[in-house]
Amino acid sequence: MANEWLDRARGHLAGRSPRERMVLFAGGLILLVLLGYGLMYKPLDEARAGLAKRLPGERAELRLMRVQAAEIQRLRTRMGDSGKGGLEQRVKSSAAAFGLGGNITQFATLADNQIQLSTQALPANTWIDWLSDLERQGVTVVRCQITAGEQGGLARLELTLTGGRR
């Protein structure tokens, strides 16, 4: 198929005068240059211009992210240095936020930045939401014993928590 098309083009050019062949060659070359410009150079140039326009904003965002990362690292270091009190404060404030302050029957601070606590019987959704909140704050459950309550849907928890990084 390709050979057939090529043979027809050669036959067509062979029947032309040298001047007509030169004009057809020059026209084909100009067409090739215009297609290259329109299909390759122009889209790439527009993309480059768009990227150059966005670059200052992206660099500013990167600087802000680096400053924020340094601030996060500083705060994490400070939280880690606060020791048991930091973990205890996070657990107590989270329990208070969920209305569980009066439901904690035992609260003991252990070595290695750990806390052991027990609760009264709580609705399952309540303690699941509370443990999810603690996890978002970086508190990890080391040990958990769940005992079913007398009423359906209630459970008593015995937890050991740590504030260390995962």
Side-chain angles (χ1 to χ4, degrees):
M1 180 82 177
N3 286 338
E4 185 179 309
W5 185 84
L6 208 53
D7 289 340
R8 280 189 3 196
R10 282 186 188 137
H12 180 70
L13 286 176
R16 302 286 170 220
S17 68
R19 183 175 178 183
E20 285 178 329
R21 281 189 290 223
M22 186 59 82
V23 169
L24 287 173
F25 178 72
L29 189 60
I30 290 172
L31 182 64
L32 185 64
V33 168
L34 289 175
L35 282 173
Y37 176 80
L39 295 176
M40 290 175 31
Y41 176 77
K42 186 68 172 164
L44 290 175
D45 188 49
E46 289 172 356
R48 184 203 52 80
L51 289 174
K53 187 177 179 182
R54 284 188 9 219
L55 185 62
E58 298 290 336
R59 283 186 175 154
E61 188 175 343
L62 176 63
R63 283 192 300 272
L64 176 64
M65 288 170 58
R66 285 182 175 157
V67 168
Q68 289 173 339
E71 178 71 10
I72 288 169
Q73 187 62 37
R74 186 185 65 78
L75 290 173
R76 281 185 179 162
T77 302
R78 195 170 84 194
M79 286 296 289
D81 292 344
S82 63
K84 299 172 194 161
L87 175 61
E88 184 176 339
Q89 181 61 36
R90 283 186 283 173
V91 171
K92 285 184 176 179
S93 66
S94 178
F98 281 84
L100 303 177
N103 293 327
I104 296 177
T105 57
Q106 176 196 354
F107 194 96
T109 303
L110 305 175
D112 298 331
N113 195 26
Q114 291 186 345
I115 290 179
Q116 186 174 10
L117 62 89
S118 298
T119 67
Q120 296 173 352
L122 301 170
N125 289 339
T126 303
W127 59 262
I128 289 172
D129 291 342
W130 178 51
L131 290 177
S132 294
D133 181 61
L134 287 174
E135 185 179 14
R136 279 191 293 276
Q137 295 182 35
V139 177
T140 305
V141 176
V142 176
R143 185 185 70 80
C144 178
Q145 182 176 351
I146 303 169
T147 308
E150 309 240 339
Q151 295 176 327
L154 297 180
R156 219 172 73 62
L157 298 176
E158 293 180 22
L159 300 169
T160 303
L161 305 171
T162 186
R165 292 190 182 124
R166 288 183 254 163

